[in-house]
Amino acid sequence: MSLPPIMIEPVIRAALAEDLGRAGDVTAAACIPAATRWTAVFAARQAGTVAGLDCACLAMTMLDPGARFTARVQDGETVAAGTVLAEVEADARAILSAERTALNLLGRLSGIATLTRAHVDAVAGTGARIADTRKTTPGLRALEKHAVAMGGGLNHRFGLDDAILIKDNHIAVCGGVGEAIRRARAHAGHLMKIEVEVDGLHQLDEALAERPDVVMLDNFSLDDLRAAVARAKGQVVLEASGGVNLQTVRAIAETGVDVISVGALTHSAPSLDVGLDAG
């Protein structure tokens, strides 16, 4: 699965401009004769799930339109340490100048895909699906959500405009769960889904009376999650959120919820160690 260039080009251009600064790569200009060609490989230095190859390719070709970038694996593929991910043959100065931008994005996105895959594997067989959140790096949301998908996760909302999600502060302003859902229902078009966050079983009952599409069970205990599933399974999609990590996610999934949203997939994923070396 590839990202459309229109989604990633502005990110790559900004990252390259940030790194090249006012004078460009003075080290490469000083050390490397002009028009020198070089071949290098991107390799995983630890096992993980790959995402971001398009970003690495674009970083190279933006500085050398004649660069030949050959991917040896695909986004979404899980690889062992030492696996060659891609090979690039291009102007040596261009490769060295684009190296850090390419590695930063490839490592960051592969780290997200790897952490997502670990959560997906942890709930295998339960029927629960793993989803991301909007807790993304500003400007990188499309790339980070792509990485979640490459790790086998679901994408939650991309932004505030593609679904109604009524959270605790909306409820506080509206004066109650039921009133908030009624206002949303009156405003929403026929294709717009409505999700409401509840923080206890008493709010769940109030929400169910208004028949939203999805109920988010926020920071529920395992006992309360099981109770919520007993009351609401089949009436609405049940999403568990809060306190989710690799140590807790299996037990949450086994309560019978449909979806588990995990902010850590994008806000706390460690980068995968990827290197660029002579080919």
Side-chain angles (χ1 to χ4, degrees):
M1 176 180 174
S2 297
L3 284 164
I6 194 172
M7 297 176 69
I8 59 177
E9 284 180 358
V11 173
I12 306 301
R13 290 189 189 282
L16 289 171
E18 178 181 59
D19 217 16
L20 291 168
R22 296 168 296 174
D25 185 349
V26 296
T27 307
C31 297
I32 310 298
T36 300
R37 303 296 289 183
W38 191 47
T39 299
V41 296
F42 291 89
R45 292 176 175 166
Q46 63 185 123
T49 300
V50 179
L53 287 168
D54 287 347
C55 296
C57 176
L58 194 53
M60 295 293 162
T61 56
M62 276 188 174
L63 295 190
D64 178 6
R68 292 201 297 267
F69 185 97
T70 305
R72 299 300 184 193
V73 300
Q74 296 182 340
D75 275 13
E77 191 170 334
T78 296
V79 301
T83 301
V84 172
L85 307 182
E87 180 178 285
V88 60
E89 189 275 323
D91 179 90
R93 289 182 179 181
I95 293 175
L96 295 171
S97 297
E99 175 182 0
R100 181 44 51 199
T101 292
L103 289 174
N104 281 352
L105 288 167
L106 184 56
R108 168 70 178 154
L109 300 182
S110 295
I112 291 171
T114 299
L115 185 60
T116 302
R117 175 58 62 188
H119 282 78
V120 170
D121 289 346
V123 304
T126 66
R129 302 289 301 276
I130 299 295
D132 57 24
T133 71
R134 284 170 43 246
K135 296 176 182 177
T136 55
T137 307
L140 297 184
R141 179 169 295 167
L143 303 187
E144 292 180 348
K145 283 183 171 283
H146 166 77
V148 168
M150 292 301 93
L154 299 174
N155 291 148
H156 212 288
R157 293 187 299 170
F158 267 77
L160 296 172
D161 62 339
D162 57 357
I164 292 175
L165 175 44
I166 303 165
K167 296 180 72 67
D168 54 351
N169 287 331
H170 299 103
I171 292 168
V173 174
C174 290
V177 171
E179 179 61 20
I181 297 173
R182 287 189 290 272
R183 292 184 190 183
R185 186 75 69 197
H187 177 84
H190 68 290
L191 295 179
M192 181 69 71
K193 287 195 173 185
I194 297 173
E195 179 174 9
V196 61
E197 175 187 279
V198 301
D199 59 16
L201 293 170
H202 64 292
Q203 286 190 330
L204 173 63
D205 292 335
E206 189 178 354
L208 291 175
E210 301 298 332
R211 300 305 297 269
D213 299 290
V214 185
V215 174
M216 179 188 293
L217 309 169
D218 187 47
N219 284 298
F220 273 43
S221 68
L222 293 177
D223 285 342
D224 282 351
L225 285 174
R226 283 187 282 267
V229 169
R231 293 186 193 186
K233 187 77 169 181
Q235 299 180 58
V236 296
V237 173
L238 291 173
E239 175 187 337
S241 181
V244 184
N245 54 52
L246 285 173
Q247 288 68 52
T248 63
V249 69
R250 179 76 189 189
I252 293 170
E254 288 175 344
T255 66
V257 295
D258 302 297
V259 178
I260 304 171
S261 54
V262 189
L265 300 182
T266 51
H267 71 59
S268 294
S271 290
L272 191 73
D273 189 3
V274 179
L276 180 72
D277 300 297

